[in-house]
Amino acid sequence: SEDLGNGMSAFFKLEYQTDPTEASGLTGRDQYIGIKMERFGKLTFGSTSTAYKSPGSKIDAFYRTSLQSRNIGLQSNLHSGAGEEGQGRGKNIVRYDSPSWKGLGAIATYQFDSDKQNQAVANCNAVEDCEDDDPYSLGIQYKGGNFYAAASYIDTQRSDDAAAAQFLAKYTWNAFEFHGIYELDKGLITAQATNGIGSTTGGRQGFAQDDGADIYSVGATYTIGNNLIGADYGHRDSSDGKDGVGGSADDVEEYDVWRIAAYHKFSNRTRVYAGYANTDYNDKGEDDIFSLGMRH
């Protein structure tokens, strides 16, 4: 960043990730440029988190581990990935973060679609069947004392049923912390769970066909010294999706999920962790994850 004087600064970020167990090369993450004004907030251009994703990490003690909430179903897929179809990190985005006023702040994002599909493509006879969307998200959050709360909304403008909303909160009481999240599906969670948005069936771009895959989770952590132990429970309702107009329907299964995990902090930068998570689906059985790891 650079101080421009008069309470104004310019900043940029170029962030990549790689998987050392794979020959995967480098993948882009947050990559943006922007300007910040003390009295008016911050304006960012590039690739960065939506107003829907940003609050989710604040209630997950195991964020950025293989047991993080968004990996195991305690949070939806809208907190993950990158793209222009409601993923957690938006591309070609302009984002505004307001100043904090007595703990209250706002976030807004708007994406400029760079993947427009030619309307003349075969089988693309209706506007809603073709790629022509400019997603946006809106969010408010409050932090005061031991309490944090947020609400946000995201809409891809792809169709009438391609949106979602969420409400989350966290409260700290001595060594205990309690948190919860509720995600209200208006087609977008269904679409992401069935690869509906952005998928192609019979030459047509898919979009959400149904809603109702609401997700909620509640949890608590207990801290003693440099150690933390946490437990969570979550549930997703069932819904129907469709990969494209005329395509076959894919059901979004109902499931229950729970997690128990702990970590030890050697310092603020280095910790070791271990935990177990179980996701029990109505029809296809269970997913079990045991993880032992180190984060630096």
Side-chain angles (χ1 to χ4, degrees):
S1 63
E2 180 186 13
D3 186 358
L4 302 178
N6 298 317
M8 183 182 296
S9 61
F11 59 88
F12 80 92
K13 184 176 185 180
L14 292 174
E15 181 180 84
Y16 295 87
Q17 71 179 27
T18 188
D19 185 345
T21 68
E22 305 281 349
S24 59
L26 296 175
T27 302
R29 290 173 52 83
D30 282 355
Q31 301 189 359
Y32 53 72
I33 192 168
I35 192 163
K36 182 177 181 180
M37 297 162 280
E38 287 183 358
R39 301 176 68 179
F40 298 101
K42 184 169 67 173
L43 199 59
T44 305
F45 303 88
S47 297
T48 189
S49 296
T50 66
Y52 196 96
K53 174 192 173 183
S54 288
S57 62
K58 293 180 172 60
I59 63 168
D60 186 7
F62 297 93
Y63 189 61
R64 301 224 179 278
T65 73
S66 56
L67 290 169
Q68 61 186 343
S69 294
R70 58 185 181 169
N71 276 10
I72 60 176
L74 293 169
Q75 296 177 0
S76 75
N77 292 343
L78 303 184
H79 295 268
S80 304
E84 300 178 10
E85 308 294 354
Q87 292 92 337
R89 179 177 290 108
K91 296 181 178 181
N92 305 302
I93 202 170
V94 55
R95 170 169 164 157
Y96 172 72
D97 292 73
S98 77
S100 177
W101 182 75
K102 296 185 177 180
L104 186 66
I107 304 172
T109 69
Y110 189 88
Q111 287 179 255
F112 299 93
D113 188 4
S114 66
D115 296 325
K116 295 187 185 298
Q117 183 180 22
N118 191 330
Q119 302 295 311
V121 171
N123 298 321
C124 189
N125 300 316
V127 172
E128 64 183 7
D129 299 345
C130 304
E131 174 92 28
D132 189 9
D133 48 345
D134 297 279
Y136 69 90
S137 66
L138 304 169
I140 57 172
Q141 52 187 353
Y142 171 78
K143 184 175 182 180
N146 297 333
F147 182 68
Y148 172 80
S152 52
Y153 176 82
I154 187 168
D155 192 332
T156 68
Q157 303 194 76
R158 183 62 172 274
S159 65
D160 291 337
D161 51 359
Q166 71 174 354
F167 309 89
L168 56 87
K170 179 176 74 172
Y171 179 73
T172 304
W173 178 61
N174 296 327
F176 289 95
E177 177 265 312
F178 305 92
H179 56 265
I181 183 172
Y182 187 90
E183 299 186 58
L184 179 64
D185 179 32
K186 196 176 182 295
L188 191 54
I189 294 176
T190 293
Q192 290 288 15
T194 60
N195 295 316
I197 289 191
S199 68
T200 303
T201 300
R204 301 175 183 233
Q205 291 290 321
F207 58 91
Q209 290 289 294
D210 203 352
D211 58 21
D214 297 353
I215 296 175
Y216 71 83
S217 64
V218 292
T221 65
Y222 179 74
T223 302
I224 178 170
N226 291 332
N227 306 291
L228 177 144
I229 184 169
D232 297 85
Y233 167 79
H235 176 83
R236 183 181 73 186
D237 293 333
S238 61
S239 179
D240 292 327
K242 187 174 286 188
D243 283 344
V245 178
S248 60
D250 291 323
D251 290 335
V252 175
E253 268 198 84
E254 183 178 355
Y255 65 64
D256 294 282
V257 57
W258 59 273
R259 172 184 72 183
I260 184 167
Y263 67 68
H264 170 74
K265 295 175 73 172
F266 291 106
S267 71
N268 285 333
R269 297 177 60 197
T270 305
R271 70 183 65 176
V272 291
Y273 63 88
Y276 173 80
N278 174 276
T279 307
D280 186 2
Y281 295 89
N282 262 16
D283 297 323
K284 75 175 187 179
E286 300 183 23
D287 288 337
D288 297 285
I289 298 175
F290 174 75
S291 180
L292 176 66
M294 178 177 179
R295 175 180 166 182
H296 175 76

